[in-house]
Amino acid sequence: MGVGTDKPDPDVGRYAVTHDARDWGVFKTPTLREVEHTAPYMHDGSLATLDDVVEFYDKGGIQNRNLDPNIKPLHLSDEEK
Ligand code: HEM
């Protein structure tokens, strides 16, 4: 999804351990249990609210060398968000 990959010196995630190029910028998908009480969101806390998270997914993540082809802009309406 590319969280943080647009930063000058991004956290390389799982790649730091495996040195496998496919793991560059990869982070564990966390449980969303009690998520309304655990802001801020993402490994770097870059998204302050759940509305910000929905906006992030609606934009299709952040373009980067490992962006999953299934993560793409959704163009959700306000009602769908
Ligand atoms: C193909 C679908 C999805 C994938 C592959 C995916 C994957 C991920 C990954 C890898 C993270 C961690 C990112 C990081 O720490 O940098 C994450 C976080 C999160 N995702 Fe998703 N996600 C998907 C769909 C969704 C949807 C539909 C929602 C809710 C509308 C959602 C809500 C969240 C939230 C709230 C977090 C932050 C959790 C936290 O920081 O504790 N995700 N997701």
Side-chain angles (χ1 to χ4, degrees):
M1 305 186 325
V3 174
T5 58
D6 53 345
K7 299 285 170 348
D9 186 21
D11 185 334
V12 298
R14 188 178 291 161
Y15 176 84
V17 179
T18 65
H19 301 289
D20 181 334
R22 289 171 301 183
D23 287 339
W24 187 91
V26 169
F27 291 85
K28 181 184 174 187
T29 303
T31 177
L32 299 186
R33 184 170 288 172
E34 300 288 342
V35 74
E36 70 269 36
H37 303 302
T38 63
Y41 304 106
M42 305 309 186
H43 69 271
D44 56 358
S46 57
L47 301 178
T49 67
L50 290 173
D51 283 348
D52 293 341
V53 174
V54 172
E55 291 295 334
F56 175 85
Y57 282 111
D58 188 51
K59 288 195 178 80
I62 294 172
Q63 189 53 244
N64 74 93
R65 66 183 85 159
N66 281 340
L67 182 65
D68 190 292
N70 290 310
I71 302 291
K72 40 191 162 190
L74 299 172
H75 309 295
L76 298 176
S77 67
D78 286 348
E79 190 183 355
E80 288 168 331
K81 287 174 188 173

